Every structure is written in structure tokens, then in C-alpha cells.
Amino acid sequence: MAHATTHAPETRQGPKIPVLEREKLILNGRSYHWITDRICSVVENKQPAIWWLLFIPSALIALIGVVGGLSILVSTGVGVWGMTNTVFWGWDITNFVFWIGIGHAGTLISAILFLTRQNWRTSINRAAEAMTIFAVCCAGIFPAFHVGRVWFAWFLAPVPNANAVWQNFKSPLLWDVFAVSTYFTISLIFWYLGMVPDLATIRDRCKPGLRKLLYGIFSLGWRGGNRQWSHYEMAYLLLAALSTPLVLSVHSVVSFDFATSVVPGWHTTIFPPYFVAGAIFGGFAMVLTIMIPARYIYGLQDMITMKHIDNMAKIILMTGTIVGYAYLMELFVAFYSGAMYEAAAFKYRLTGPFWWAYVAMMSCNVLSPQIFWFKWCRENLWVVMGVCMCVNVGMWFERFVIICTTLARMFLPADWGYYTASPVEIMLFLGTIGMFLALFLLFLRFLPCINIAEVKWTLLESDPHFDDHHDHPDHGVKREAAYQHELKSAHKA
């Protein structure tokens, strides 16, 4: 007689080990289908009224500022940029370094966080990469046009020419050309490659017509086969590895423009790490500045969670502290070195006619991020936006202090003066802000702003061992839910 055997569920006696679960990067148990629908709907649906309210003024400011300002410059001459002032190109080089710094965080989020397998990057990397491209475009305007005759800007490239004139390869300005152009090229390829699977998704959802044709062309015939995914992942990994040193090199090279000179206040070895930390600091602040409104407008709260914002706020806090340390070390070295001119340069920064710029820089860059030590500040979006706006302003003032304040007090007192930007300079700077916002809004309108494929990889269902964990739970552990701001709020409600 056969006896039926039953197996009792496996249990474990004794104390269980508490295990803290990871915070969820996708909230409310969203499915693959929901993620695809929500991200594609940003491109497929009509844009909300606020998009037009932001885009039209931005485009007008860009048109008037950039096109108008450059038209005046080319037709009149570079004298309209303050060339008659002792602080040559002060405002424009300030803007160039500012925009290059803004473009730093995109590649950092894409490359370094990808190589270190930080899954929280997946919801923000696409927008950050786009920000990099647009910021470098804004930055490139200033050095391209400051040569005076922009149609001769190609002389900066080391190619044979009829005059047998070669560039000065010992000049850090030429290093800038190589560093920035390489950075822009690799960032553009990296950004585009990451979008190919998502462009194919939109193509497959489009009705026959011009949109389907264009998305089909730019998706490069992607079908999502195993071989294509294998090649894609390898290419993405190699580009990430190639981009990583560029994150460090670009702003280091930009800092060499100043550090290799003999100007007091610039000739210092702390500049490369100081500039890189500052660029990451300002770049993350700009990412939050543009992504928090986009998150609200398009209802992306389930994919760009408070966990993402919290992580970026912590990075801003860390890099802001590094920048503050660099400011203090500059003052200490100027005092401790015994160099008369070096000490005088920093004395004039603190007590000279531009003392207000130094105060603004220290307040915005050093003091304002310190409130991120408190959790409730990182969980309040108004506070986060306020701090990020302060950092954006503070980083511009940092470049102004380094460049304009120093040049306004050079070796000869006869050269001393008070620098004020010309109307054309102000017009062009405002124009680049409008251009940056207009390009970013167009990006939201026509391209997927979140990486659809990579976000899905963060779901629990994407774990190949998900079923194993479910069918064979570990009875020796006691899982405890991690603190998460949104879940706490939902529980209270």
C-alpha cells in the first residue's frame, strides 16, 4: 500500500538575522509595460501648456541673445566684448568655464556610475547626458568667437594650411581645444548609442509617416535580438571606460589655462582637483534644477524617486565640502607661502572692490549645501531646489572671482580698474541660458528622457534569481523594509 508523503515547509529554529532591504528605485510595483508607456507618452502625447510657456520665452531669449549678440560681435568687432578693458574677455571666459563645468555631471553619471554599477543612475543618466551636450554647445560659442574672425577658427586645428602656420602645442589653450572637442565627441556618441534601443521602441509604436521614418533611421535598424544586445552592451561598456578619464581630464585641462600662468592667484597646483570637484558640484546641482520640474510636469515620480534626489543631494554636499576646503587652502597657501603678490591677490579678493562676489561665492557654494546634512532638508523639494539654484549662481561667481577679480588687480597699479560687463556680453550670456533651456525642452519633446531599457533592469523581476528567492526563501533571515520617503508618506495617508 502506497503511503502519501507530505513535506512540511522548511523552517529554522532560533534567532533570525535581520537583513535591511534596499530602497526601491521604481515605486508602486510598476510593470515593464507601464514604464514603456509612461516614458513614451512624454514624446507621443501633446505637450502640456507649461512646456510652451517655458519654451517660447527660452527660444526668444536664445534668438535675441545668441544670434543678436553674435551678429553685433561679428559685424562690429571683439571690442564689444570688453577688449578695451584691462580685464580682457573676463565675462566671456567666465561663461566658458561655467558651461564646461555644467557639462561635467552628465558623463560622470553615465560613465563612472555605470562602471561602479550604481543602479540609481538609470533614471537620470539620459537627461544628464543631454545636459552635457547642450552645455558644451553653449560653452563652445565663447572661445570660437573670441578669436575675432570666427571663419578662421579652424586654424585652431592642427591641419596643414597655405601659410604653413602651426599651433603652439605648448599652450594650454590648444590643449583646451583637444580636450573639449574630444569630450564633446565621446559624450555625443555615448548619448546617442544609449538611445538606440529606446528610439526603436518609439519607432515600433509610431503610425506610418514621417515620425516613424525618422525614428527608424536613427534607431539604426535595431530589432532587439540577442546578438544586437550583446554588441550594444559591449560597446556601451567600452565607451563608458573611454569616457571616465575624460571626466577628470577636461576640467583639469581647463584649469591649466590659469595654473600654468604666472598670474598671482592662478599659479597654483590645487587648481585641477579643485576645478574637477567644482564641476561635479555644479553639474549635479544643474541636473536637479532641470529634473525636479520635469519630474513633476510629466508625472515621473515613480521612476525619479526621492532616493535619486537624496543621493544627488549627498553628492552635492560632499563635493561642496571639498570645494570649501579648496577655498580655505587657497587662503592658507597664500598666507603661508610668504609670496607677496600671492598674498596681495587674495587680500584684494576679500577686501577689494569685488568683495561682494567673493561673499556670494562662499555663501552659495560652501554654506548653502551644508543644510543637506539634515534629512528633512533633502526630502523637501523646495529646499533642494533653493540650494541647487544657489549653487548654480555660486559656481558662476567662483569663475568670476578667479578671472575678473584677479585681472582687475594685476602687477601694475596703473592697470587697475573696475570691470563691468558690456551689454553685448550680458546679452550673449542670457542668450546661452535661453539656448540651453530651449534645447533641453526640445529634448524632452522629441527624445525619451529616461532610459527605458536600463530602468527595467532595476525591477525585481529582472533579477534572474527572482523566482528562486520567491520559491525558496531564506528562513534564517528576517527582512526589514528600508526607510523610503514616499512609502512613509503613503503609509501616513
Side-chain angles (χ1 to χ4, degrees):
M1 179 178 178
H3 297 281
T5 58
T6 57
H7 296 282
E10 185 181 351
T11 58
R12 174 178 170 173
Q13 302 297 326
K16 296 184 178 181
I17 301 172
V19 175
L20 188 65
E21 292 183 334
R22 287 182 176 274
E23 297 99 324
K24 293 180 174 60
L25 296 176
I26 304 294
L27 298 177
N28 296 322
R30 300 301 187 182
S31 64
Y32 291 156
H33 178 68
W34 185 90
I35 292 172
T36 304
D37 265 355
R38 179 48 61 97
I39 297 173
C40 291
S41 68
V42 176
V43 178
E44 294 167 347
N45 296 341
K46 289 184 178 179
Q47 293 302 303
I50 193 170
W51 186 90
W52 291 101
L53 291 176
L54 293 172
F55 177 73
I56 293 174
S58 301
L60 286 176
I61 292 172
L63 187 66
I64 296 170
V66 176
V67 178
L70 292 180
S71 299
I72 296 172
L73 172 74
V74 172
S75 60
T76 309
V78 290
V80 297
W81 264 11
M83 284 293 289
T84 56
N85 198 299
T86 52
V87 185
F88 296 153
W89 296 319
W91 185 277
D92 310 296
I93 301 303
T94 297
N95 297 334
F96 165 69
V97 181
F98 170 73
W99 282 118
I100 286 291
I102 293 296
H104 230 72
T107 306
L108 175 79
I109 293 172
S110 302
I112 294 181
L113 296 186
F114 173 76
L115 293 177
T116 53
R117 303 304 184 202
Q118 298 296 312
N119 287 334
W120 63 271
R121 63 177 275 284
T122 55
S123 296
I124 54 171
N125 72 313
R126 176 70 52 74
E129 291 165 18
M131 187 191 74
T132 292
I133 304 298
F134 305 146
V136 175
C137 288
C138 293
I141 290 173
F142 296 99
F145 280 84
H146 89 209
V147 298
R149 300 176 182 178
V150 67
W151 48 92
F152 286 136
W154 64 276
F155 274 20
L156 292 169
V159 294
N161 57 75
N163 298 323
V165 176
W166 286 94
Q167 296 72 27
N168 180 8
F169 290 98
K170 296 178 182 178
S171 169
L173 296 175
L174 188 64
W175 306 344
D176 251 1
V177 175
F178 297 145
V180 175
S181 59
T182 305
Y183 179 68
F184 178 76
T185 306
I186 297 298
S187 298
L188 185 64
I189 295 173
F190 197 32
W191 180 55
Y192 176 64
L193 180 69
M195 274 195 298
V196 169
D198 297 346
L199 292 175
T201 302
I202 298 176
R203 173 203 62 196
D204 295 341
R205 294 165 60 97
C206 280
K207 295 177 181 176
L210 180 61
R211 285 171 63 92
K212 191 176 186 69
L213 175 65
L214 292 176
Y215 283 117
I217 292 172
F218 287 107
S219 60
L220 304 177
W222 178 269
R223 288 290 179 270
N226 288 340
R227 180 171 292 184
Q228 285 186 335
W229 274 111
S230 175
H231 291 324
Y232 168 84
E233 290 177 5
M234 179 56 70
Y236 200 77
L237 179 66
L238 291 175
L239 277 172
L242 187 62
S243 302
T244 299
L246 293 177
V247 174
L248 305 177
S249 70
V250 172
H251 229 51
S252 296
V253 172
V254 170
S255 76
F256 291 161
D257 294 346
F258 309 97
T260 55
S261 71
V262 295
V263 176
W266 290 2
H267 187 64
T268 172
T269 55
I270 200 175
F271 262 23
Y274 165 22
F275 269 50
V276 170
I280 297 169
F281 177 54
F284 268 93
M286 185 60 81
V287 171
L288 279 174
T289 303
I290 58 178
M291 286 309 293
I292 288 176
R295 170 182 183 265
Y296 175 76
I297 293 170
Y298 293 107
L300 303 174
Q301 290 91 339
D302 285 349
M303 286 180 282
I304 305 175
T305 68
M306 291 303 295
K307 167 68 177 173
H308 298 90
I309 296 170
D310 185 73
N311 282 355
M312 286 192 280
K314 288 175 181 173
I315 291 176
I316 289 173
L317 172 62
M318 181 189 71
T319 50
T321 306
I322 294 172
V323 168
Y325 173 76
Y327 292 162
L328 297 178
M329 284 308 298
E330 274 190 323
L331 295 174
F332 174 73
V333 169
F335 159 74
Y336 194 67
S337 65
M340 179 176 59
Y341 294 108
E342 189 77 9
F346 283 92
K347 174 188 170 186
Y348 285 124
R349 285 187 186 180
L350 294 170
T351 62
F354 296 102
W355 63 269
W356 48 269
Y358 197 85
V359 171
M361 177 190 79
M362 292 295 282
S363 304
C364 294
N365 290 349
V366 181
L367 299 180
S368 69
Q370 300 307 314
I371 64 172
F372 282 156
W373 285 106
F374 305 101
K375 182 185 280 290
W376 70 268
C377 291
R378 301 195 303 270
E379 292 177 348
N380 187 316
L381 291 179
W382 291 105
V383 175
V384 173
M385 277 296 287
V387 172
C388 291
M389 294 303 291
C390 284
V391 172
N392 294 330
V393 173
M395 289 309 295
W396 186 89
F397 271 111
E398 178 194 288
R399 281 68 185 241
F400 181 85
V401 166
I402 291 173
I403 297 166
C404 298
T405 305
T406 305
L407 292 178
R409 289 293 182 274
M410 285 290 285
F411 293 105
L412 296 177
D415 288 339
W416 291 6
Y418 191 84
Y419 174 74
T420 52
S422 70
V424 176
E425 287 177 309
I426 296 173
M427 182 193 301
L428 188 57
F429 178 55
L430 295 177
T432 54
I433 294 174
M435 176 178 158
F436 177 79
L437 291 176
L439 288 174
F440 189 77
L441 289 166
L442 288 174
F443 158 72
L444 292 175
R445 173 68 184 86
F446 293 107
L447 296 173
C449 60
I450 294 179
N451 193 320
I452 300 173
E454 288 196 12
V455 163
K456 290 177 180 176
W457 295 346
T458 65
L459 290 175
L460 290 177
E461 295 88 327
S462 299
D463 183 354
H465 302 291
F466 174 71
D467 291 337
D468 296 341
H469 294 319
H470 185 265
D471 297 338
H472 306 287
D474 187 349
H475 297 286
V477 300
K478 177 185 177 184
R479 297 194 176 276
E480 297 181 359
Y483 169 82
Q484 203 150 1
H485 177 72
E486 290 94 339
L487 300 181
K488 180 185 174 187
S489 302
H491 182 70
K492 281 183 177 178

